[in-house]
Amino acid sequence: MSDIQVYADINSSFIRFIVKNPSADDILVASSLGIRNNGFGGTFDVDCNKILRYGLYMFMLQINRGFEDHSKYKDLFLSIKEIFDKIDTPRIEYMKSKLSRLVTLKVNEEMITKTTYDWLFEDQVEVVKASLFLNNILVSFETGMGKSLIGSSISTLNDHKKTLIVCTKSAKINWKRELLKWGEKIEDITVVNGSGKKTLRTGEKFIIITYDLARTKLRALLSRDINHIIIDESHKAKNIKTKRFRVLEEIKKVKNPRSTSLSGTPITNRSNDLYAPAKLANHLLGRSYKDYKQRFCIVKPSQFGEMIIGSKNEELLHRCLANFMIRNKVKKVDALGVNVSYKRMYLGMEYYSSDYNNLVNEMITKKGISKLELHSYLTSLSRLCALSKTPAMIEYVEDIAFEYNEKILVFTTFTDVIKKFEEHFKDKCVIIQGATSDTMRDHNKMKFIEDDTCKIFVLQTQAGSESLDGLQTVCNKMVYIDIPLVPKDLTQGVGRLLRLLQTKGVECGLAIAEGTIDERLVDMNISKEKSINLILDNSNKTFEFQDVEFELLNFLKSNNGQIIEDSSEAEESNVAAGELI
């Protein structure tokens, strides 16, 4: 600490840190957090009116890990607390006055009336309060933690006359429902559809539009005085080369609105997924993809070209984003009072084993295989595994639904698996897949919630993993027939049940054809989830992971493409509650 001097001025809310010989990383973190380096070497001035408490703490740890010992610097931390308490008191009072609309909701069979502010959880309050001094934020709360309430509250608090909500097609109706639930008027909401003459009006307060329609309606959107853009499921625009991203970038460039990006999984597969939201927010880290990749990504050449296979400097990346990306401090399972447990359900490859082995042998002996061909092979293998498991899983789901009289969600990627469930259960199940219309999607959701005879909800993994709320009020069980390629699809799927108003522990089954790519996919999901959490939740470790297709190819080659013989009976393996798989 002898190399650092700290001066805290409670009256002016400024804190000065004088650091002897600051490192390049110290300066990068300071600049990323909006902390001014006043030009005198290691002198950093922090305006506490413009920084999150957590952001300041991350900067302090960057310049000296000794600050982890709060007792050693008790006086300093007391001064910092006093500064932020002084700043927050009028802000909270202002929030209470602006978010005073009374809202009545049904909770545990009881009708409760509170102001919008009082409906906010502690972590939600912190995010909405941050909008008073941060124009661009990435809200990275876990699924089911009320991100839609946060977005609408930010618009109300800051008197935004027109808010643009960009979302997936499946989320349009849900956003409208959420806004109405929190007291907005129907005439203040426009849902932009792809057909029909009625599209945009002039007097609406909220415009709800899909990513794809935003592209076709861009000129009309740019003619509106948009004050706030809410980018729902912002990981959908993680690739800066896509039209989705470029449309958002154009709106930001021309209208310069406040932006609130919402995503429970801002990193879906690779650490470079965070570059796009940083670029949209004009964050320091979003100014050069080359610099970002060089500093935070592990890149190696492969037969498919240059490939990002891992992340590095995760702790530094986490600190640089600490005044932009806001994570919920209280873990979802703690906030909800319930947990999730994963159950591996091992099954023998009773059917299609010859087809599986033949396809593997064809794939591993093929010379000059392209990544597209490899992906096609692996998808076909996963489909064969899913079809083999389907009869046993239909029996399992039938027991849950009709022997134990409980509702259950069934996730699968493949339409022929969905068809087998539909043929077996008929009107006792409902379905959502990619081709399901918005109207039928909402109808099927409400039937599952309200009809006691409808016990089974079959969901195509991509189409059903997002923007479905309310299922948690009637269901706490789910099963994956096939294992997702990326942890995001598993996390988002579990988030359909592990969310606000869930009162039971969530049980998630994973059907695994033993000796096949299923086993490796489960292990890879675990590894990737650990790597993602290093960045999002702060750690100083470095973790490498292989490209999915390339890793599975190596796995199959090492096993000579053969399925391990197993009995036909299913076995179950429970995992400690709260752990991923």
Side-chain angles (χ1 to χ4, degrees):
M1 187 66 181
S2 58
D3 291 339
I4 299 177
Q5 300 176 56
V6 185
Y7 303 94
D9 188 336
I10 295 174
N11 293 323
S12 66
S13 301
F14 269 82
I15 303 175
R16 170 166 288 181
F17 295 86
I18 301 177
V19 183
K20 185 178 180 180
N21 299 323
S23 68
D25 287 349
D26 294 343
I27 295 172
L28 175 65
V29 171
S31 300
S32 298
L33 298 177
I35 296 173
R36 185 163 60 94
N37 184 350
N38 64 17
F40 297 100
T43 302
F44 299 94
D45 290 329
V46 181
D47 182 354
C48 294
N49 290 285
K50 299 179 180 180
I51 194 170
L52 296 165
R53 294 192 196 205
Y54 186 70
L56 173 59
Y57 183 55
M58 287 296 99
F59 172 70
M60 293 172 67
L61 291 185
Q62 175 62 37
I63 59 176
N64 191 327
R65 279 195 174 274
F67 283 123
E68 288 180 332
D69 185 356
H70 288 212
S71 61
K72 188 175 180 180
Y73 306 106
K74 183 177 180 181
D75 291 341
L76 173 60
F77 280 102
L78 285 175
S79 296
I80 291 173
K81 181 180 184 303
E82 188 173 349
I83 289 173
F84 277 103
D85 287 348
K86 177 187 173 184
I87 294 171
D88 284 348
T89 298
R91 284 177 175 170
I92 293 297
E93 291 304 315
Y94 179 70
M95 288 176 64
K96 288 180 177 179
S97 68
K98 296 291 291 184
L99 303 175
S100 58
R101 177 189 292 150
L102 292 176
V103 177
T104 301
L105 298 177
K106 187 176 182 180
V107 181
N108 295 329
E109 303 303 321
E110 181 182 358
M111 302 304 294
I112 298 177
T113 300
K114 295 192 290 189
T115 65
T116 304
Y117 175 86
D118 288 331
W119 278 112
L120 293 168
F121 285 91
E122 180 182 352
D123 285 348
Q124 293 172 322
V125 169
E126 291 302 308
V127 175
V128 178
K129 183 176 63 179
S131 73
L132 293 172
F133 58 94
L134 295 176
N135 276 329
N136 302 290
I137 54 177
L138 167 59
V139 184
S140 178
F141 280 16
E142 296 175 74
T143 55
M145 290 301 289
K147 296 187 293 291
S148 53
L149 173 57
I150 290 171
S152 59
S153 295
I154 288 174
S155 286
T156 301
L157 180 65
N158 292 280
D159 293 319
H160 294 314
K161 299 190 182 304
K162 199 172 293 292
T163 296
L164 175 66
I165 301 171
V166 184
C167 61
T168 59
K169 181 182 177 182
S170 60
K172 285 195 306 180
I173 293 177
N174 192 59
W175 264 103
K176 181 179 179 180
R177 286 175 180 267
E178 286 291 303
L179 292 174
L180 293 173
K181 182 175 78 173
W182 297 113
E184 298 296 341
K185 299 176 182 178
I186 186 69
E187 59 267 25
D188 288 335
I189 305 170
T190 292
V191 179
V192 181
N193 295 311
S195 59
K197 295 181 179 179
K198 185 178 179 181
T199 54
L200 291 172
R201 298 181 285 116
T202 56
E204 71 272 274
K205 182 179 176 183
F206 292 94
I207 300 172
I208 304 172
I209 194 168
T210 66
Y211 282 96
D212 294 334
L213 279 178
R215 186 176 77 251
T216 60
K217 305 286 185 181
L218 180 59
R219 181 177 297 180
L221 292 174
L222 293 178
S223 70
R224 301 301 193 271
D225 293 325
I226 298 170
N227 314 115
H228 182 201
I229 179 171
I230 297 174
I231 308 171
D232 189 27
E233 306 293 355
S234 59
H235 55 269
K236 296 291 186 181
K238 66 180 182 178
N239 188 337
I240 61 174
K241 296 180 180 179
T242 61
K243 293 178 180 179
R244 282 184 174 183
F245 177 86
R246 289 172 180 169
V247 166
L248 297 174
E249 188 177 38
E250 183 69 11
I251 295 172
K252 283 284 292 177
K253 179 181 177 181
V254 175
K255 310 305 295 186
N256 193 30
R258 170 195 302 280
S259 69
T260 303
S261 298
L262 306 174
S263 176
T265 52
I267 302 178
T268 62
N269 200 32
R270 296 285 186 268
S271 55
N272 60 322
D273 291 347
L274 286 173
Y275 178 77
K279 183 175 175 64
L280 273 180
N282 197 30
H283 189 278
L284 180 66
L285 295 188
R287 295 180 185 175
S288 169
Y289 182 63
K290 180 181 178 181
D291 291 344
Y292 181 98
K293 187 168 64 171
Q294 183 177 6
R295 188 180 291 269
F296 299 114
C297 301
I298 299 173
V299 182
K300 288 185 179 179
S302 75
Q303 66 191 84
F304 306 117
E306 187 178 77
M307 188 176 296
I308 295 175
I309 65 160
S311 60
K312 60 184 178 181
N313 299 322
E314 291 92 348
E315 186 176 53
L316 178 64
L317 177 56
H318 178 87
R319 289 173 179 174
C320 287
L321 295 172
N323 208 39
F324 164 60
M325 182 176 69
I326 305 177
R327 293 278 284 173
N328 43 325
K329 301 170 190 173
V330 179
K331 287 296 181 184
K332 177 162 63 172
V333 293
D334 297 326
L336 300 181
V338 298
N339 211 328
V340 57
S341 60
Y342 294 87
K343 180 170 62 177
R344 302 191 195 202
M345 307 173 66
Y346 291 96
L347 298 156
M349 193 77 172
E350 294 185 58
Y351 312 99
Y352 306 103
S353 58
S354 295
D355 294 328
Y356 180 95
N357 283 333
N358 291 337
L359 192 60
V360 169
N361 288 328
E362 178 184 325
M363 180 182 69
I364 64 178
T365 56
K366 188 178 180 68
K367 295 182 178 180
I369 187 170
S370 69
K371 187 170 183 179
L372 185 61
E373 288 176 315
L374 180 54
H375 184 81
S376 177
Y377 272 116
L378 293 172
T379 301
S380 297
L381 290 174
S382 184
R383 174 178 168 272
L384 290 174
C385 292
L387 287 170
S388 177
K389 292 177 286 185
T390 297
M393 295 315 297
I394 285 177
E395 183 178 345
Y396 170 78
V397 169
E398 194 164 39
D399 284 345
I400 295 292
F402 305 113
E403 290 295 325
Y404 295 96
N405 196 32
E406 296 197 53
K407 299 198 175 203
I408 184 169
L409 307 186
V410 178
F411 284 90
T412 181
T413 305
F414 304 105
T415 54
D416 38 6
V417 175
I418 293 175
K419 186 176 180 180
K420 289 181 180 296
F421 272 85
E422 185 179 25
E423 291 173 347
H424 184 85
F425 291 109
K426 298 182 172 58
D427 61 347
K428 297 297 189 296
C429 76
V430 286
I431 293 168
I432 285 180
Q433 48 190 329
T436 306
S437 68
D438 292 350
T439 302
M440 185 56 65
R441 179 186 177 94
D442 192 57
H443 172 271
N444 289 350
K445 182 188 81 168
M446 296 312 298
K447 181 179 179 180
F448 181 74
I449 293 172
E450 297 174 352
D451 186 348
D452 289 339
T453 66
C454 182
K455 300 290 187 183
I456 302 151
F457 205 159
V458 183
L459 300 156
Q460 197 165 31
T461 303
Q462 290 288 340
S465 293
E466 299 174 351
S467 306
L468 278 177
D469 193 20
L471 308 182
Q472 74 277 18
T473 61
V474 296
C475 179
N476 74 314
K477 289 180 171 56
M478 61 192 302
V479 65
Y480 277 85
I481 306 300
D482 44 275
I483 311 301
L485 287 176
V486 293
K488 183 267 296 184
D489 290 334
L490 183 59
T491 303
Q492 292 274 24
V494 171
R496 297 313 96 208
L497 297 183
L498 189 64
R499 57 198 301 118
L500 299 177
L501 302 183
Q502 176 62 265
T503 59
K504 300 178 180 179
V506 175
E507 300 173 15
C508 178
L510 302 170
I512 301 170
E514 191 165 17
T516 70
I517 59 172
D518 281 359
E519 288 192 289
R520 188 59 187 149
L521 275 172
V522 171
D523 292 337
M524 290 177 70
N525 269 289
I526 296 171
S527 298
K528 285 193 175 184
E529 187 72 9
K530 287 179 180 178
S531 183
I532 289 169
N533 288 336
L534 294 182
I535 299 169
L536 300 184
D537 296 320
N538 194 23
S539 173
N540 60 0
K541 298 178 182 177
T542 298
F543 190 88
E544 286 194 31
F545 48 85
Q546 290 271 20
D547 178 78
V548 174
E549 289 86 354
F550 190 65
E551 168 68 9
L552 288 175
L553 179 61
N554 286 339
F555 166 73
L556 291 169
K557 284 182 176 179
S558 66
N559 197 38
N560 293 320
Q562 297 302 306
I563 298 172
I564 299 173
E565 294 298 325
D566 183 39
S567 65
S568 60
E569 296 182 1
E571 297 180 1
E572 298 181 356
S573 172
N574 289 301
V575 180
E579 294 181 3
L580 176 57
I581 318 179

